[in-house]
């Protein structure tokens, strides 16, 4: 082991192409370990909440207590170690990469892990994918500074670490690679690809080895039974855009300062946490990451115990609880809520049209999958990532046509309705306009 470490150090000191790939491999292992640590700490916090509920017999009322405490803990961490400890993490990574030369402070790594575990482990609504993007980017930034690579290689390692966070969270390295190129870098330059590929694969393998298969979202493989169903999938894309735009609007409204100007800053996490907990009393599916609920939707082969209008309500309330959790200072991302919203809308739409569609069989799970891709494309403006992610979740290409149609159509319509994505919206409000590849001057 010592010999391997010494060889890696020697390769890194050389700072050639081999050293760059060695750093990418090491980065992937570190990000995978960070993702596994985040999952483990979240499970420990969740287990503590469950044990407390059992001991006092509180039932769902435990979340009215635990979520405010979790948000308050995240808010305090942001106050002591912030900024950037609260919030999602993707926008902060994009700013560090594009405007600060790839600099993301190392202190964000442990702080973000604890804040995210406190937020989501206690029942707060959101996803761990956004925070792990920032964690991976910060690890990549720290490693790049330690190895003293050039600026372009620093950006590659930061983007690779961020994309590896997505790959590690879903055991989907190709989707992680695509997310890094499509969202973080907004560029498909070939010089970044090698580092991102190596890092994403290494992170996914490491996380899978440490936490096991059960922590990942998985879906059965579905097929397109009838080409005429493409009409239904196109209608689903439009519906997913409407709910995705609702999510973006609620996120935007929830960040307006006038809502919190009349109460002390420390009281805001408590008030927001109580609000999320009260919603969870009626619809517990809107709490946490929503992975278990989404797994149930993806397994539906026909209309079951779900009612279409109830799924639509859950989708709308998931947007509200995710936004309120963020407003309360929680550390949670928008990636997973978008998937839950799309999955609920897709399954609800399938159950709604099943009695009147007599041409072929309707699989609510298939519509949930396509709804996930459409909602993610509408909110993140990442259609390629959405399509590739679903491919990796199912392990099959039976829905390739509906997926491509829905993702492309959702992106096109969402661009017309709401020009900003979930990641650029907060930056635009601050007057930050990230440069795109076509905007960069040759001397830059």
């Amino acid at each position: 082991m010592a010999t391997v470490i010494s060889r890696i150090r020697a390769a890194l000191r050389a700072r050639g192409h081999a050293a760059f790939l060695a750093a990418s491999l090491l980065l992937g292992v570190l990000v995978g370990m960070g993702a596994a640590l985040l999952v483990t700490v979240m499970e420990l916090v969740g287990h503590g909440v469950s044990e407390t509920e059992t001991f006092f017999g509180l039932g769902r009322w435990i979340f009215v207590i635990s979520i405010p405490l979790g948000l308050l803990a995240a808010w305090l961490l942001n106050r002591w170690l912030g900024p950037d400890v609260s919030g999602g993490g993707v926008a902060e990574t994009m700013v560090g990469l594009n405007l600060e030369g790839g600099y993301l402070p190392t202190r964000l790594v442990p702080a973000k892990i604890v804040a995210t575990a406190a937020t989501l482990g206690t029942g707060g609504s959101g996803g761990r994918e956004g925070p792990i993007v920032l964690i991976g980017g910060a690890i990549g930034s720290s490693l790049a500074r330690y190895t003293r690579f050039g600026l372009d290689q620093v950006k590659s390692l930061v983007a690779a670490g961020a994309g590896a966070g997505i790959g590690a969270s879903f055991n989907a390295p190709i989707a992680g690679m695509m997310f890094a190129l499509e969202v973080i870098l907004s560029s498909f330059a070939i010089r970044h690809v090698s580092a991102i590929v190596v890092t994403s694969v290494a992170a996914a393998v490491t996380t899978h080895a440490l936490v096991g298969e059960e922590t990942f979202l998985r879906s059965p493989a579905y097929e397109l039974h009838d080409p005429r169903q493409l009409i239904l999938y196109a209608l689903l894309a439009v519906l997913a855009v409407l709910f995705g735009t609702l999510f973006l609007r609620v996120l935007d409204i929830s960040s307006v300062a006038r809502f919190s100007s009349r109460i002390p800053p420390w009281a805001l996490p408590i008030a927001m946490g109580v609000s999320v907990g009260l919603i969870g009393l009626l619809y517990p599916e809107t709490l946490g990451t929503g992975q278990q609920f989404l797994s149930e939707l993806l397994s539906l082969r026909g209309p079951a115990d779900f009612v279409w209008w109830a799924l639509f309500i859950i989708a709308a309330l998931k947007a509200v609880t995710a936004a309120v959790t963020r407003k309360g200072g929680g550390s949670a991302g928008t990636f997973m809520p978008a998937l839950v919203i799309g999955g609920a809308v897709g399954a609800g739409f399938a159950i709604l049209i099943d009695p009147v569609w007599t041409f072929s069989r309707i699989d609510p799970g298939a519509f949930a999958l396509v709804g996930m891709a459409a909602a993610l494309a509408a909110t993140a403006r990442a259609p390629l990532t959405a399509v590739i992610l679903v491919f990796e979740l199912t392990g099959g290409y039976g829905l390739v046509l509906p997926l491509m149609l829905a993702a492309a159509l959702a992106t096109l319509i969402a661009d017309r309705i709401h020009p900003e994505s979930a990641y650029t919206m907060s930056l635009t409000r601050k007057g930050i306009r990230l440069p795109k590849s076509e905007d960069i001057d040759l001397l830059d």
Side-chain angles (χ1 to χ4, degrees):
M1 184 66 180
T3 304
V4 173
I5 295 177
S6 63
R7 289 181 179 178
I8 292 177
R9 288 177 176 174
L12 293 178
R13 283 195 295 268
R15 291 199 291 276
H17 184 67
F20 185 52
L21 292 180
S24 303
L25 178 61
L26 177 60
L27 173 60
V29 174
L30 294 175
V31 174
M33 294 172 63
L37 179 61
L38 175 60
V39 171
T40 302
V41 178
M42 282 177 55
E43 290 179 347
L44 289 175
V45 174
H47 181 71
V49 171
S50 178
E51 290 294 321
T52 303
E53 183 277 323
T54 302
F55 182 79
F56 290 102
L58 296 174
R60 295 178 186 172
W61 284 96
I62 185 63
F63 295 116
V64 182
I65 302 172
S66 65
I67 296 176
L69 293 177
L71 295 187
L72 182 61
W75 178 84
L76 289 172
L77 282 171
N78 187 70
R79 190 177 181 90
W80 294 334
L81 302 174
D84 299 339
V85 174
S86 294
V90 177
E92 294 80 1
T93 304
M94 294 165 66
V95 170
L97 179 68
N98 291 281
L99 303 182
E100 299 178 7
Y103 174 74
L104 292 169
T106 308
R107 59 178 167 77
L108 286 177
V109 176
K112 196 69 174 172
I113 290 175
V114 176
T116 304
T119 300
L120 301 179
T122 57
S125 179
R128 67 175 186 256
E129 296 74 28
I132 195 59
V133 164
L134 180 59
I135 292 169
I139 295 174
S141 177
S142 302
L143 180 62
R145 294 197 303 272
Y146 172 77
T147 51
R148 298 180 182 178
F149 283 111
L151 179 60
D152 202 50
Q153 292 172 312
V154 169
K155 289 186 175 181
S156 293
L157 289 176
V158 173
I166 297 294
S169 296
F170 290 100
N171 195 27
I174 303 177
M177 175 197 72
M178 196 61 64
F179 184 84
L181 296 171
E182 191 174 24
V183 176
I184 303 298
L185 283 170
S186 295
S187 169
F188 288 86
I190 194 66
R191 64 184 184 277
H192 299 299
V193 172
S194 59
I196 293 173
V197 170
V198 171
T199 305
S200 295
V201 172
V205 171
T206 301
T207 305
H208 184 275
L210 292 176
V211 300
E213 183 72 27
E214 64 276 2
T215 60
F216 301 114
L217 184 65
R218 280 291 172 262
S219 167
Y222 292 100
E223 295 182 357
L224 178 65
H225 298 300
D226 187 343
R228 287 173 292 188
Q229 286 188 356
L230 290 175
I231 300 174
L232 301 179
Y233 285 113
L235 293 175
L236 173 59
V238 176
L239 193 60
V241 169
L242 295 179
F243 277 86
T245 303
L246 170 66
F247 186 27
L248 295 176
R249 298 288 186 189
V250 175
L251 281 171
D252 196 29
I253 293 174
S254 67
S255 60
V256 178
R258 67 174 179 269
F259 287 98
S260 57
S261 60
R262 298 181 180 179
I263 62 176
W266 57 266
L268 184 62
I270 297 177
M272 297 295 101
V274 170
S275 301
V276 174
L278 290 176
I279 294 175
L281 289 177
L282 298 176
Y283 292 96
E285 298 89 353
T286 63
L287 301 181
T289 63
Q291 179 173 321
Q292 182 177 354
F293 169 65
L294 193 54
S295 297
E296 294 176 6
L297 295 180
L298 296 179
S299 300
L300 290 179
R301 290 283 183 176
D305 298 331
F306 294 101
V307 182
W308 67 267
W309 54 264
L311 290 174
F312 285 0
I313 291 176
I314 290 172
L317 289 180
K318 183 64 179 180
V320 173
T321 56
V324 173
T325 297
R326 290 276 294 272
K327 177 57 183 173
S331 174
T334 58
F335 197 103
M336 192 66 181
L339 295 181
V340 173
I341 291 169
V345 170
F349 177 72
I351 294 173
L352 174 63
I353 56 94
D354 182 69
V356 297
W357 182 264
T358 59
F359 303 103
S360 56
R361 189 179 83 232
I362 295 292
D363 287 330
F367 279 79
L369 271 172
V370 176
M372 286 167 49
L376 181 59
T379 56
R381 305 301 150 80
L384 295 178
T385 301
V387 172
I388 295 299
L389 177 62
V390 173
F391 284 161
E392 292 191 275
L393 292 181
T394 60
Y397 296 88
L399 290 177
V400 58
L401 293 180
L403 283 170
M404 295 177 66
L405 173 64
L409 188 58
T411 304
L412 179 65
I413 298 175
D415 275 334
R416 302 296 186 272
I417 298 177
H418 196 285
E420 300 295 336
S421 72
Y423 305 132
T424 61
M425 189 169 51
S426 60
L427 301 180
T428 302
R429 193 183 310 109
K430 297 176 183 178
I432 300 175
R433 180 180 177 272
L434 297 179
K436 298 182 181 298
S437 57
E438 60 267 21
D439 298 332
I440 299 175
D441 185 84
L442 179 62
L443 294 178
D444 199 28

